[in-house]
Amino acid sequence: MSTLLYKLGKTAFRKPGYFIIGWVLILGIVISMISMNGIHISSEMKIEGTESQKVLDQLAKELPAASGGQGSVVFKAPDNERLDTPERLAAMMKGVNEVYGLNDVINPADYAAEASSSGAAADMAQAANMQQSAAASPPPYGPLIVEGVPVPGVLISSDGNIALFQFQFTIEQSAITQDVFDSVIHSVMTVENGTNITVLPGETLKTVSIGVGSAEIIGLIIAVIVLLITLGSVVAAGLPLVTALLGVGIGVGGAFSISKFIEMPSVTSVLALMVGLAVGIDYALFIVNRQRRMIIDQRLSAQEAAARAIGTSGSAVFFAGLTVIIALCGMLVIGLTFLSTMALVAAATVLINVFVALTLLPALLGLVGERICSPKAREKSVKHSKEGSHGVADRWVKFVIKYRWVTMIAIIVVLGVAATPITKMEMGIPGASSANLDTTARQSYDAISEGFGEGFNGPLILIAEPNHSSAQITPELLGNLVKELQSQKNIAQVTPLGMTEDLAIFSLIPKTGPNDKITKDLVNDLRSTESNIAQMNDVKLGVTGLTAVNIDMSSKLAQVFPIYVGIIILLSLIILLLVFRSIIVPIKATIGFLLSILATFGITTAVFQWGWLHSLFGFDTGGPLLSFMPIIVTGILYGLAMDYQVFLVSSMRESYVHGHRGIDSVVHGYNQVSRVVVAAAVIMVSVFAGFIFTDDVMIKQIGFTLAVGILIDAFIIRMGLVPAIMALFGDKSWALPKWLDRILPNLDVEGEKLIATLNAKENEPSKL
């Protein structure tokens, strides 16, 4: 492996034009494809195989009008004033009618006319009357009445201060474009003109829009500063940035270029950008740092040092990238399309960055030549060598080794305490209830809760169908279902929406909010075939709606998470076994990762769910953790943690292979790469931390969790626990059963064969 990469690196250094032009052409092709196909992103996150998705699919087939997404708008009068004055009623009616006149919104008048012609209107009216009689007490709201006629879809609070306008789209929520939402918002915002009415569009009237802002740029600036400090020159520091940006440009741009043909979730590009920038900078940093060390320490030419750096550190980069790719591709086994797309785009971006580091980077080093290492840096290194200087890394690793038992116990205890909040972790989809107080989504949520009850923020769609094919939905059955549903203690309101001979559909408002455990229990109880309602009426009930979809997503991901973790750990153990030819090292690496990931999720729970330090991270209210965040973060962190493991421990093994034994190999290997591992970790944390201060809470949570995970894994696990355990086992760390040693291929990641071959050539007598 190292010999092949050595030859590749030397060729790229000698003939940089071919490689540079090749990558520029690839980037040009990607840009051309984007210009032709455009960028198409979606907020769709279907959870195939779940109960809510099955109901949505059934509705789309049998009652297409009822399968569309839902929207809501709140109208709020100034304090102690009412909305039902003539001027304000006229303004609200104008806005409501404009919304009902849009092509993508269902007009209840048209729907009622269609239902009347089929006789369903009378059936639903009868059921609605039974609903009113079933109510234990009159609710603190009612329909908005204009000239003696109820306005379809509009409720008003008992004090007349708040009105809620709910309507339905003709297409599924996840397929609605921002243009449609903008049309609705434009129609209702006209209500504010001259009325002192505050219009608050609901959370569902927007798509996820994610871009790169100033916080992310600050993260890159910090990365540049770290590169300058680590590499000592503008030229050397610029190369990792150039290669990383090119790799991300091709990876993310390539995904955008085919987004016309493949469903591309909007969060996909951010995930690929996060991971691509972090690994792209780190991989190039390791190689450039290795080349500079060889130039200074071994007095090699820039060409020879670059080729050897690609052969040795390049091998580590290749296998480190492979672990990241495996961890990301492990998401494919979950079977969720949106997660699979995110994983594949991020994995492809990592793969491109690996190839860029192994081909474009040595080509750029060829252009730079000997300038990669300034005379000042060479003089400084020689001076330190003569003085026998021992840096912070040397003192730290010797301290850790001396007190290795104390170090290991302290790390385990500290991370164990940090992990304790994970027992209270709640998963869901962060929404308006946890949005910042100054956002319209949060203000709309609070107004709805105040005027109508928190459950109106998360309406459910319920369907009922006979258990037997010979049975039918009758008016009596429809009425009985409404009456029995309305009598349930956790249900605030039930409204029949439509019916056929085989299917009845209802809007159901819980008494509790979308993320409340009682709401989840209600959904599960309604779906149960053992429920009294289902058995007494001989029907099967199904529940969907955004709240039910989120409940199902969290449940499905919780079920597959252990399987996913098991798969990536197994595959990565095999890779680490091949790379290090050791049993202890892969097991130690995995245990260390499990400690770090548990502590990471514990801290994330305390911050985002319990609200600790919330003002520091730019949010006002705690809420559930993003349901698919643990899977995404675990995959990325496992891959990146193994990056540090490969770079750090491969240096220790290289020291062992080249003659250092016992603790000496640990100290020497640690001193060789610890500085650059720390720099790489700081860069990754900076890149990820930049996303903490975005407005989108989902990206905020992912960025925070990745930043904290890297901090813990790099600085506590790899810089503390790893050298302590390696010193504890000594040379036994590299022990391998003889039968296994015979069957495992020798990948020569440390470049032992390569260095031996090169030394042999140098010692050959010259031919006269």
Side-chain angles (χ1 to χ4, degrees):
M1 182 73 183
S2 57
T3 302
L4 175 64
L5 292 178
Y6 171 83
K7 293 178 179 178
L8 177 63
K10 180 166 282 190
T11 301
F13 192 98
R14 287 175 172 174
K15 301 176 180 179
Y18 294 103
F19 292 87
I20 294 172
I21 292 172
W23 282 108
V24 171
L25 283 175
I26 293 173
L27 181 61
I29 292 171
V30 168
I31 294 174
S32 299
M33 290 179 64
I34 292 176
S35 64
M36 289 188 296
N37 298 327
I39 296 176
H40 305 269
I41 59 175
S42 167
S43 58
E44 184 170 19
M45 291 188 293
K46 281 189 177 182
I47 309 297
E48 296 86 349
T50 59
E51 290 299 318
S52 55
Q53 189 60 50
K54 290 177 182 176
V55 173
L56 281 176
D57 294 340
Q58 183 178 1
L59 287 174
K61 180 180 179 181
E62 299 186 26
L63 285 172
S67 65
Q70 297 169 315
S72 66
V73 177
V74 171
F75 303 114
K76 195 172 189 302
D79 292 343
N80 301 318
E81 294 187 25
R82 297 183 65 89
L83 289 167
D84 48 3
T85 64
E87 297 81 5
R88 288 172 177 166
L89 284 175
M92 286 192 295
M93 284 303 301
K94 181 176 180 296
V96 168
N97 289 331
E98 283 188 17
V99 172
Y100 282 145
L102 298 174
N103 291 332
D104 299 297
V105 177
I106 293 176
N107 188 331
D110 297 338
Y111 190 75
E114 180 182 343
S116 178
S117 64
S118 64
D123 297 336
M124 288 188 289
Q126 177 184 345
N129 291 332
M130 295 185 72
Q131 167 204 352
Q132 296 296 328
S133 62
S137 60
Y141 53 82
L144 179 66
I145 307 296
V146 177
E147 296 180 355
V149 179
V151 180
V154 183
L155 296 174
I156 189 167
S157 61
S158 56
D159 62 3
N161 183 252
I162 302 170
L164 173 61
F165 173 33
Q166 294 177 310
F167 51 92
Q168 196 163 0
F169 293 99
T170 58
I171 46 183
E172 284 191 31
Q173 189 78 37
S174 58
I176 304 173
T177 64
Q178 188 61 50
D179 290 340
V180 175
F181 291 142
D182 289 342
S183 298
V184 172
I185 293 172
H186 179 268
S187 297
V188 296
M189 292 307 293
T190 59
V191 175
E192 290 188 340
N193 298 335
T195 62
N196 285 330
I197 294 176
T198 300
V199 178
L200 300 171
E203 179 194 17
T204 57
L205 294 182
K206 68 172 185 176
T207 58
V208 179
S209 179
I210 300 167
V212 177
S214 58
E216 293 88 334
I217 301 300
I218 292 172
L220 282 179
I221 292 173
I222 295 174
V224 171
I225 295 172
V226 173
L227 287 170
L228 284 171
I229 295 173
T230 305
L231 298 178
S233 74
V234 174
V235 173
L239 293 180
L241 281 175
V242 170
T243 54
L245 289 172
L246 180 75
V248 167
I250 293 174
V252 177
F256 281 149
S257 69
I258 60 173
S259 60
K260 181 179 180 180
F261 313 103
I262 297 174
E263 194 77 36
M264 193 69 61
S266 51
V267 74
T268 298
S269 59
V270 181
L271 179 64
L273 180 63
M274 281 186 188
V275 180
L277 276 178
V279 301
I281 293 174
D282 280 5
Y283 292 167
L285 171 61
F286 279 108
I287 292 173
V288 172
N289 182 71
R290 185 61 176 269
Q291 184 211 23
R292 284 166 51 85
R293 270 181 36 216
M294 289 181 173
I295 291 173
I296 295 171
D297 298 341
Q298 302 178 29
R299 305 295 191 271
L300 296 176
S301 67
Q303 175 180 300
E304 183 63 23
R308 293 193 182 194
I310 295 295
T312 51
S313 290
S315 297
V317 164
F318 178 82
F319 287 104
L322 190 59
T323 58
V324 179
I325 292 168
I326 286 177
L328 289 168
C329 289
M331 295 184 197
L332 300 180
V333 304
I334 298 171
L336 302 180
T337 302
F338 80 93
L339 271 183
S340 297
T341 303
M342 293 164 60
L344 288 173
V345 171
T349 304
V350 172
L351 182 63
I352 290 168
N353 272 291
V354 170
F355 288 149
V356 166
L358 298 179
T359 57
L360 178 62
L361 180 59
L364 294 175
L365 290 172
L367 289 182
V368 174
E370 298 295 338
R371 290 175 296 160
I372 192 65
C373 193
S374 66
K376 183 179 178 181
R378 301 182 194 219
E379 291 173 7
K380 185 177 179 181
S381 176
V382 171
K383 180 181 178 181
H384 285 183
S385 178
K386 288 180 179 179
E387 294 175 354
S389 174
H390 297 287
V392 175
D394 184 74
R395 293 192 295 271
W396 169 255
V397 72
K398 288 178 179 177
F399 173 83
V400 168
I401 289 173
K402 182 178 180 180
Y403 300 102
R404 46 187 173 269
W405 279 108
V406 175
T407 300
M408 289 187 291
I409 293 172
I411 288 174
I412 291 171
V413 170
V414 169
L415 295 185
V417 171
T420 51
I422 203 173
T423 59
K424 304 294 184 181
M425 186 167 64
E426 297 177 3
M427 308 307 297
I429 301 295
S433 61
S434 56
N436 283 348
L437 297 173
D438 59 352
T439 61
T440 56
R442 175 59 181 272
Q443 292 167 2
S444 173
Y445 186 97
D446 290 343
I448 291 172
S449 300
E450 176 190 345
F452 309 96
E454 199 171 3
F456 275 84
N457 288 291
L460 301 171
I461 299 296
L462 184 139
I463 66 168
E465 50 186 336
N467 279 324
H468 307 288
S469 57
S470 58
Q472 293 182 346
I473 298 292
T474 62
E476 292 77 16
L477 177 58
L478 185 69
N480 287 337
L481 287 171
V482 169
K483 181 178 180 180
E484 291 175 21
L485 287 167
Q486 186 67 65
S487 66
Q488 300 297 305
K489 63 179 181 179
N490 294 331
I491 297 177
Q493 178 178 300
V494 181
T495 305
L497 297 179
M499 62 175 287
T500 66
E501 292 182 348
D502 303 317
L503 189 70
I505 180 171
F506 310 87
S507 170
L508 188 150
I509 307 296
K511 290 184 177 179
T512 48
N515 293 315
D516 199 297
K517 185 180 182 299
I518 296 176
T519 304
K520 180 180 178 180
D521 294 338
L522 173 63
V523 170
N524 293 330
D525 291 343
L526 289 172
R527 287 172 172 169
S528 173
T529 56
E530 305 298 322
S531 70
N532 290 334
I533 296 175
Q535 290 187 341
M536 290 176 61
N537 294 280
D538 198 23
V539 295
K540 180 173 67 175
L541 300 177
V543 185
T544 189
L546 189 58
T547 299
V549 169
N550 293 341
I551 291 172
D552 288 348
M553 179 187 295
S554 300
S555 178
K556 174 73 177 283
L557 294 172
Q559 291 174 4
V560 299
F561 183 64
I563 300 172
Y564 167 67
V565 172
I567 290 174
I568 65 169
I569 287 179
L570 178 62
L571 293 176
S572 295
L573 281 173
I574 294 172
I575 289 180
L576 293 175
L577 177 64
L578 292 171
V579 170
F580 295 114
R581 302 182 66 78
S582 163
I583 298 293
I584 292 174
V585 170
I587 295 174
K588 169 191 62 63
T590 303
I591 292 174
F593 170 74
L594 291 175
L595 282 172
S596 67
I597 198 68
L598 290 174
T600 297
F601 287 144
I603 294 171
T604 303
T605 300
V607 171
F608 283 96
Q609 185 176 309
W610 296 354
W612 290 10
L613 302 175
H614 62 88
S615 58
L616 179 63
F617 298 109
F619 66 97
D620 297 327
T621 309
L625 300 186
L626 181 62
S627 55
F628 56 84
M629 185 266 290
I631 284 181
I632 291 176
V633 168
T634 298
I636 296 173
L637 283 182
Y638 190 84
L640 298 180
M642 294 308 106
D643 278 2
Y644 298 132
Q645 177 73 12
V646 168
F647 291 124
L648 182 61
V649 180
S650 64
S651 179
M652 294 177 182
R653 179 166 175 79
E654 185 177 347
S655 297
Y656 172 80
V657 167
H658 293 156
H660 296 275
R661 290 293 179 267
I663 291 176
D664 289 343
S665 67
V666 177
V667 173
H668 183 266
Y670 186 95
N671 286 336
Q672 292 297 307
V673 299
S674 59
R675 184 167 180 264
V676 74
V677 167
V678 167
V682 171
I683 289 170
M684 279 201 180
V685 170
S686 301
V687 172
F688 292 144
F691 291 89
I692 296 175
F693 301 98
T694 59
D695 294 330
D696 187 270
V697 69
M698 294 190 294
I699 300 304
K700 187 186 290 284
Q701 286 188 7
I702 294 174
F704 175 87
T705 311
L706 288 173
V708 170
I710 294 297
L711 274 173
I712 293 174
D713 196 272
F715 291 98
I716 298 179
I717 299 298
R718 308 305 154 189
M719 294 291 102
L721 189 64
V722 167
I725 295 178
M726 295 297 291
L728 181 66
F729 285 98
D731 291 345
K732 293 180 181 178
S733 298
W734 315 113
L736 194 67
K738 292 183 179 180
W739 63 270
L740 190 57
D741 184 53
R742 287 193 298 268
I743 62 175
L744 286 180
N746 190 345
L747 301 177
D748 192 28
V749 175
E750 300 80 19
E752 180 184 9
K753 294 180 180 179
L754 170 64
I755 301 301
T757 302
L758 294 175
N759 289 338
K761 288 183 179 180
E762 291 175 359
N763 295 327
E764 284 181 358
S766 59
K767 296 180 180 179
L768 300 177

